């Protein structure tokens, strides 16, 4: 936190500023008030993919603070992304929520989600032999993500093997702190839900690098309209 000194000082004194270090792990907000949230970054974040039901199509999604053109550049080589696909973006506001606290603009309730972008890639344009798809998302106006990749879906057939992990019903967990990281990992306190142990078990799977898909049953959150829990 930077603060400029505004008190009285000699006329010939030079302006100066003071920098304060704040330990955010020890800050506790005890009052509710309307919060004006700064404009979200236009840089793409939260990039995710989804199967489309067709082996030659893949859905790519991301979130940003910009509703500029939704574009994905892709190819079979990370140094060359010759193909491009366009999509659309959408968002929602507090007034779209059905009831409190979700429709209240306050620090612990409504949080601006930004814009959710969605683009469908036609993978048939790629060479049949390419098993990895490299891509980046964004636009020249809003900025581009780093180049990332996903495994190309295999065509269905009697000899096609598919490895996937399935889970759901995540519960609520506020995450680890310095004094509860052990029970957060093991859920020994019986409080908070199963989200952390589930995620940690999935990340610990020895077959994780070889999985073809993830199936989530639902109940991704129990935020019940409380924005910071959802986030």
């Amino acid at each position: 936190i930077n603060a400029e000194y505004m008190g009285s000082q000699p006329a010939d004194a030079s302006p100066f500023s003071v920098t304060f270090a704040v330990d955010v792990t020890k800050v506790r907000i005890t009052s509710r008030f309307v919060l004006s949230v700064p404009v979200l970054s236009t840089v793409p974040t939260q990039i995710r993919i989804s199967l489309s039901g067709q082996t030659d199509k893949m859905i790519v999604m991301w979130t940003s603070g910009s509703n500029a053109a939704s574009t994905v550049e892709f190819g079979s080589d990370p140094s060359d992304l010759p193909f491009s696909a366009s999509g659309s973006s959408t968002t929602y506001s507090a007034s779209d929520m059905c009831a409190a606290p979700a429709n209240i603009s306050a620090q612990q309730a409504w949080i601006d989600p930004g814009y959710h972008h969605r683009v469908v890639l036609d993978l048939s344009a790629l060479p049949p032999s390419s098993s990895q798809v490299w891509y980046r998302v964004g636009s020249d106006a809003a900025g581009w993500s780093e180049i990332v990749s996903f495994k190309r879906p295999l065509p269905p057939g009697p000899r096609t093997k598919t490895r996937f992990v399935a889970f759901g019903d995540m519960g609520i967990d506020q995450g680890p702190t310095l004094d509860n990281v052990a029970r957060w990992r093991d859920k020994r306190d019986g409080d908070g839900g199963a989200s952390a142990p589930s995620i940690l078990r999935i990340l610990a799977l020895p077959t994780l690098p070889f999985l073809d898909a993830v199936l989530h049953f639902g109940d991704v959150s129990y935020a019940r309209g409380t924005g910071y829990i959802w986030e």
Side-chain angles (χ1 to χ4, degrees), residues 40 43-49 60-64 112-117 135 137 145 230-231:
L40 297 172
V43 177
T45 63
Q46 304 175 43
I47 302 172
R48 60 262 187 201
I49 60 175
V60 179
M61 297 164 285
W62 68 95
T63 300
S64 77
D112 187 343
Y115 292 90
H116 302 294
H117 301 257
Y135 68 102
V137 307
S145 71
W230 171 258
E231 292 297 322

Side-chain angles (χ1 to χ4, degrees), residues 128-148:
S129 59
S130 61
S131 60
Q132 202 79 3
V133 180
W134 297 87
Y135 68 102
R136 67 173 186 170
V137 307
S139 67
D140 290 336
W144 292 94
S145 71
E146 63 179 350
I147 297 175
V148 292

Side-chain angles (χ1 to χ4, degrees), residues 23-26 174-185:
D23 183 354
V24 295
T25 64
K26 296 181 179 179
Q174 296 182 359
T177 63
L178 293 178
D179 61 346
N180 77 349
V181 65
R183 65 186 183 191
W184 176 79
R185 182 186 298 114

Side-chain angles (χ1 to χ4, degrees), residues 145-199:
S145 71
E146 63 179 350
I147 297 175
V148 292
S149 69
F150 60 83
K151 186 188 298 184
R152 190 172 185 174
L154 297 173
R159 296 184 179 274
T160 299
K161 294 182 178 180
T162 301
R163 297 182 179 91
F164 66 95
V165 60
F167 64 100
D169 203 12
M170 296 295 288
I172 296 176
D173 200 305
Q174 296 182 359
T177 63
L178 293 178
D179 61 346
N180 77 349
V181 65
R183 65 186 183 191
W184 176 79
R185 182 186 298 114
D186 301 329
K187 199 192 171 188
R188 288 199 296 264
D189 58 356
D191 183 23
S195 58
S198 296
I199 293 171

Side-chain angles (χ1 to χ4, degrees), residues 49-62:
I49 60 175
S50 176
L51 297 173
S52 67
Q54 304 177 61
T55 56
D56 61 347
K57 300 287 194 302
M58 182 67 80
I59 302 171
V60 179
M61 297 164 285
W62 68 95

Side-chain angles (χ1 to χ4, degrees), residues 52-118:
S52 67
Q54 304 177 61
T55 56
D56 61 347
K57 300 287 194 302
M58 182 67 80
I59 302 171
V60 179
M61 297 164 285
W62 68 95
T63 300
S64 77
S66 170
N67 63 348
S70 305
T71 306
V72 178
E73 295 181 343
F74 64 102
S76 56
D77 187 328
S79 62
D80 182 25
L81 305 176
F83 305 106
S84 178
S86 299
S88 60
S89 64
T90 185
T91 189
Y92 55 92
S93 64
S95 61
D96 295 316
M97 303 293 101
C98 59
N103 58 4
I104 299 175
S105 295
Q107 186 180 27
Q108 296 184 15
W110 166 254
I111 296 178
D112 187 343
Y115 292 90
H116 302 294
H117 301 257
R118 184 181 187 273

